[in-house]
Amino acid sequence: MLIYEIFGILFLVTPGIANGILNMSGQKTDHWMVYGILNIVSVVGVAMTDYLINIPSKKEKIIVIVIYILLIQAGMGLNYTSQHLEFITNSYKISNEVMEIAEQLEFVEKPRVLAPEEVAGELREYDTRFAVIYGEGLSFTQENLEQLQIETESYGCNCLVINSEYDNIEFFNSIGFSKIYNTEHYEVYAK
């Protein structure tokens, strides 16, 4: 019985320990009480194993194991498609092109990005460390390069993402931007 008391005490302090670990690692992304779920999983696992060990007949053990398997499968939603079981590489559900742009912008110190609306929102969703200039009342003109220069200066941008059709490398070099990357549809510049 002492083992259950020790497990009980450990289960009660699990969320507090998780909070300490999160604070030390600097990755406080989840609320620490989320880790209270670990208690339920652990208690159910120990109780079910103890119950299974103490069943006298082999036939009853097989029935209980089949019930466990069915419960576990029901927890997965009885979904056996490969999509459900495979590792999701892009859990943000944003375009791979924007992910490529974001990976390049990580090399820029304190990126302040001006980008087309369809890119700006996804960039911000992918990594909140980017100061992406977007929103209501924002003017972003790719067709008029002089206006674009005024906009980048007024917003204090050091990174610029534009559609490839409006690319003019000489102009952007003349205003202090250097091309750091290009994708199929976009050009990426930084100061």
Side-chain angles (χ1 to χ4, degrees), residues 76 78-86:
M76 288 180 58
L78 300 174
N79 191 344
Y80 301 104
T81 62
S82 62
Q83 176 201 11
H84 181 71
L85 300 174
E86 72 187 19

Side-chain angles (χ1 to χ4, degrees), residues 6-50:
I6 292 170
F7 275 130
I9 291 169
L10 288 175
F11 295 150
L12 287 174
V13 298
T14 300
I17 292 171
N19 187 33
I21 292 170
L22 288 173
N23 283 335
M24 286 188 299
S25 68
Q27 297 185 6
K28 196 168 184 171
T29 56
D30 296 325
H31 192 275
W32 64 274
M33 286 301 289
V34 168
Y35 295 95
I37 262 182
L38 294 174
N39 302 345
I40 297 167
V41 172
S42 302
V43 168
V44 169
V46 168
M48 295 308 255
T49 303
D50 190 42

Side-chain angles (χ1 to χ4, degrees), residues 67-78:
I67 290 172
Y68 288 170
I69 291 171
L70 291 174
L71 285 173
I72 291 170
Q73 293 303 314
M76 288 180 58
L78 300 174

